[in-house]
Amino acid sequence: MLQPPLCVDDQVPFDDRGLAYGDGVFETVLLRSGVPILWRYHTARLAHGCQRLGIPLPCQASLAATWQGTPTADLEVLKLILTRGSGGRGYAQPEDVLPRLLSRRMPFQPLASRWQEGVTVRVCDLRLGHQPLLAGIKHLNRLENVLARREWSDMSIAEGVLADSDGLVIEATSMNIFWQQAGEVFTPLLNQCGVAGTLRDALIEQGTVTQAALPLSQLAKVERLWVANSVQGMWPVSKLLAADGALLQCWPVNAADPLQRLAHQLLGYEII
């Protein structure tokens, strides 16, 4: 089977559809000693996003070439951006799609203090709209998340909680959400909106986490709360604030956190 043509370029031209319309997908991957962590999940999500948008998926050799080579540090973050490329008239896609793949890797250090001390999160005013065709994929149009992140400037607040137009908890601005109730761990259903994180997918596949609906009105009543992604790891939430800054709930941070331990084993992080 012939692979689709691919433009590998570090420069984005003016007519690139990812720049003009957000017409593309991206991945943010943790590299440990030059080896990508959860790579199977990242490539699966990338393939799913390409299938949804109708963008030809680069071959595995092209994707692997983005991280192969001499590491610049023990830990790095690799960002992959895949756009539909250039061309087309208005929103109509070009007759011959030539996807453009961009990548960059940078040294990285996680915010390890947040693993032990926990974090403060706030509820965002913004509500996510529903679009099932885009739900779960990591497409390039993240304006809802950008607007939500503009809601606060207090550096002591680590993340914002996003609910959808039905008032259901969906995600944090750049992380997935997990909660414990009756001793079981859950994460929101993402069939209407939101990004399905790769760490989230791995924990679901392990059988550690179950997908469920959680009304925002019930968030302060859960037994425990976490936010997590495949780069920073899992942060226990110690304080939940309303959008106006009012304290909604406090939770103690468990030094022997079994969910965090499982998550960090998947990422290769040690619990100090």
Side-chain angles (χ1 to χ4, degrees):
M1 180 179 178
L2 293 176
Q3 290 291 336
L6 181 70
C7 176
V8 180
D9 194 351
D10 285 334
Q11 301 298 317
V12 179
F14 184 80
D15 63 351
D16 183 86
R17 296 180 64 86
L19 175 64
Y21 309 124
D23 189 3
V25 290
F26 73 104
E27 292 292 327
T28 309
V29 185
L30 181 67
L31 302 180
R32 185 175 295 280
S33 300
V35 178
I37 305 301
L38 299 180
W39 184 242
R40 173 169 67 88
Y41 296 93
H42 284 288
T43 55
R45 183 173 62 183
L46 189 70
H48 185 51
C50 285
Q51 185 274 327
R52 286 277 189 90
L53 297 181
I55 297 175
L57 177 68
C59 66
Q60 287 295 322
S62 296
L63 294 175
T66 62
W67 55 265
Q68 292 171 341
T70 304
T72 61
D74 290 340
L75 283 180
E76 300 169 281
V77 168
L78 168 70
K79 184 162 186 178
L80 298 175
I81 299 176
L82 180 69
T83 79
R84 198 183 301 274
S86 299
R89 186 175 180 85
Y91 292 131
Q93 71 176 47
E95 184 174 340
D96 297 316
V97 176
L98 180 60
R100 178 170 284 111
L101 178 65
L102 303 101
S103 67
R104 180 168 296 179
R105 52 197 294 181
M106 297 158 286
F108 171 74
Q109 282 298 324
L111 299 172
S113 62
R114 294 181 172 180
W115 300 342
Q116 291 85 42
E117 298 169 9
V119 296
T120 299
V121 303
R122 73 184 291 278
V123 175
C124 292
D125 284 322
L126 183 139
R127 294 293 177 263
L128 296 172
H130 287 179
Q131 180 44 267
L133 287 176
L134 299 178
I137 69 174
K138 202 165 185 177
H139 58 79
L140 289 175
N141 191 331
R142 312 299 339 157
L143 286 178
E144 289 178 315
N145 304 71
V146 170
L147 290 173
R149 185 58 186 85
R150 288 184 69 238
E151 291 185 21
W152 80 94
S153 58
D154 184 346
M155 297 300 292
S156 69
I157 298 174
E159 261 288 8
V161 176
L162 289 167
D164 67 3
S165 54
D166 289 337
L168 297 176
V169 173
I170 299 297
E171 61 189 1
T173 57
S174 61
M175 307 179 92
N176 286 124
I177 288 177
F178 304 84
W179 74 91
Q180 179 178 297
Q181 197 65 36
E184 294 188 54
V185 179
F186 300 92
T187 194
L189 289 162
L190 301 180
N191 56 356
Q192 298 294 321
C193 55
V195 176
T198 53
L199 179 59
R200 172 186 180 273
D201 285 347
L203 290 169
I204 290 172
E205 188 177 271
Q206 278 191 347
T208 304
V209 173
T210 302
Q211 298 176 80
L214 177 66
L216 184 60
S217 60
Q218 299 300 307
L219 182 62
K221 300 177 182 178
V222 301
E223 295 169 355
R224 298 197 66 194
L225 186 66
W226 301 262
V227 291
N229 64 30
S230 63
V231 173
Q232 287 288 356
M234 184 159 287
W235 298 340
V237 175
S238 57
K239 286 184 182 179
L240 175 66
L241 306 180
D244 63 3
L247 179 64
L248 297 177
Q249 186 58 275
C250 291
W251 292 276
V253 175
N254 182 2
D257 185 333
L259 180 64
Q260 187 186 60
R261 190 170 298 279
L262 285 170
H264 286 198
Q265 285 175 354
L266 289 167
L267 301 176
Y269 288 139
E270 294 182 5
I271 305 291
I272 300 172

